[in-house]
Amino acid sequence: MVYTKPQLFKPPKSNVLTMTPWFAPVIWEGTYNLDILNEQFRQSNMVVGLTVFAIKKYVIFLQKFLETAETYFMVGHRVKYYIFTDRPEAVPNITVKAGRELVPLRVENYPRWQEISMRRMEMISHYSQQRFIHEVDFLVCVDVDMRFSDHVGVEILSEVFGTIHPGFYASERKAFTYERRPNSEAYIPQDEGDFYYAGGFFGGTVAEVYMLTKKCQEAIMADKNKGIEAIWQEESHLNKYFVYHKPTKILSPEYVWDNNLGSPQFLKKKRFLAVPKNHSAVRNK
Ligand code: UD2
């Protein structure tokens, strides 16, 4: 446990927000000491579950996703990859490191991509209650059309965490693409909300992820009964949830980035990157 002592009057970062007004840290490169965090985590002997959906054509993203996760995700820790798919035979047979395991879970598919994306909330909440609670301590829930390109480790873990969407980190509230129709359960009034969070990277303890996904699922079903679908599907419901149940940790856009957005000065790491996709070739296929 030898490391440079923290300096009360020399904060490691002063150009970005590192703490929200409700005392949730915002995770940026340079704000944490990984050796301390790894040591604490190792002593707790915990396991991390990574959930990812690869339904229909999206199985083509699994190879790169899993290979890069082996290189960068929770290195040195115990990991279970929960791969929800309608095509278990298409899950690549990659060799994972000791203490890590691939767990394909066969699930239904739906004709519309929006429905597939939304139904993730239902499936994660169901499996959290039935299975994950007995097998892992934390869940990290991500999109599959992504690749890890730098370290993503235990610094992200907390009771419940969300990630700032790379398209909206500098936006004012009025520019957030929150659901603005009052008859949707995902409705957020103009003068509420903190950040615009990405649907493609959230997590927390199994109990917290269960609550989050269950609430979002109930809201999605209530909307369905009213004949309305939120503007950005489950991402809209996730954003609504986080207005009233504040995340205990916020991941900076280092954790979901898209190279189409360039390389701004403040971004010291690009840890999890969108893989360019031809929408018409993969959606509804
Ligand atoms: C954004 C969000 C995504 C979701 C979506 C809702 C990020 C990085 N992405 O992504 O999380 O909120 O908006 O509109 O924040 N999938 C399949 N098969 C399909 C279709 C989807 O497996 O046929 C899964 C897959 O894991 C995919 C995810 O659903 O990564 C989200 O779908 P998308 O990537 O097409 O949505 P996108 O890019 O608009």
Side-chain angles (χ1 to χ4, degrees):
M1 275 281 155
V2 178
Y3 53 84
T4 320
K5 158 193 173 307
Q7 300 285 342
L8 200 53
F9 298 105
K10 281 196 199 141
K13 254 187 162 26
S14 53
N15 62 329
V16 289
L17 187 74
T18 58
M19 183 68 81
T20 67
W22 61 93
F23 286 131
V26 186
I27 312 306
W28 298 93
E29 175 66 7
T31 56
Y32 59 88
N33 180 320
L34 189 60
D35 295 334
I36 305 177
L37 298 179
N38 271 338
E39 190 54 30
Q40 284 176 334
F41 192 77
R42 243 173 241 123
Q43 285 170 8
S44 68
N45 200 29
M46 290 194 282
V47 187
V48 179
L50 182 65
T51 72
V52 69
F53 287 72
I55 314 264
K56 301 199 282 190
K57 258 288 176 66
Y58 279 60
V59 290
I60 60 170
F61 295 109
L62 276 173
Q63 181 89 27
K64 172 99 357 190
F65 176 91
L66 291 168
E67 275 173 11
T68 57
E70 278 296 283
T71 309
Y72 294 115
F73 182 74
M74 299 290 160
V75 174
H77 301 295
R78 289 158 66 205
V79 171
K80 277 181 189 272
Y81 296 103
Y82 294 117
I83 303 165
F84 293 80
T85 183
D86 57 334
R87 303 178 183 176
E89 69 288 350
V91 175
N93 191 11
I94 75 157
T95 313
V96 293
K97 297 200 186 78
R100 302 165 79 99
E101 194 187 337
L102 290 183
V103 185
L105 300 169
R106 185 189 280 276
V107 291
E108 242 186 278
N109 67 38
Y110 292 91
R112 293 170 58 242
W113 70 266
Q114 295 92 334
E115 187 76 19
I116 292 176
S117 190
M118 281 194 297
R119 289 280 174 178
R120 292 185 291 174
M121 291 296 185
E122 179 180 37
M123 298 187 216
I124 294 170
S125 74
H126 173 80
Y127 274 87
S128 292
Q129 195 182 33
Q130 298 297 315
R131 176 165 183 174
F132 301 156
I133 193 76
H134 307 296
E135 298 187 353
V136 296
D137 298 283
F138 288 99
L139 286 170
V140 179
C141 308
V142 299
D143 277 7
V144 73
D145 50 334
M146 304 287 294
R147 64 185 166 93
F148 292 88
S149 55
D150 210 320
H151 166 91
V152 174
V154 299
E155 75 282 356
I156 70 171
L157 301 176
S158 187
E159 286 293 296
V160 57
F161 62 86
T163 305
I164 295 174
H165 194 294
F168 300 92
Y169 59 82
S171 304
E172 289 304 318
R173 270 182 184 150
K174 61 177 185 315
F176 290 166
T177 52
Y178 288 158
E179 176 55 63
R180 300 299 189 185
R181 291 168 296 175
N183 55 339
S184 166
E185 299 290 318
Y187 169 65
I188 301 174
Q190 292 286 349
D191 53 356
E192 293 188 46
D194 307 289
F195 303 107
Y196 188 79
Y197 298 96
F201 199 146
F202 64 89
T205 59
V206 181
E208 284 290 334
V209 170
Y210 171 67
M211 284 206 288
L212 179 159
T213 50
K214 187 157 186 290
K215 274 262 187 251
C216 288
Q217 168 57 15
E218 285 167 359
I220 289 167
M221 291 325 263
D223 271 8
K224 235 184 223 310
N225 291 333
K226 288 188 268 184
I228 187 167
E229 183 174 290
I231 177 167
W232 288 106
Q233 294 80 36
E234 84 300 333
E235 185 172 82
S236 306
H237 292 279
L238 177 76
N239 272 281
K240 171 71 176 274
Y241 184 86
F242 280 154
V243 175
Y244 304 110
H245 308 80
K246 305 278 193 219
T248 54
K249 225 177 226 186
I250 314 268
L251 309 186
S252 70
E254 292 172 4
Y255 290 86
V256 172
W257 193 253
D258 185 328
N259 272 336
N260 289 327
L261 299 168
S263 303
Q265 259 292 313
F266 71 85
L267 200 74
K268 301 298 175 217
K269 296 249 170 183
K270 296 176 180 178
R271 304 170 188 274
F272 193 47
L273 279 173
V275 172
K277 66 176 183 276
N278 175 345
H279 285 88
S280 60
V282 293
R283 279 183 168 165
N284 303 332
K285 299 286 179 222

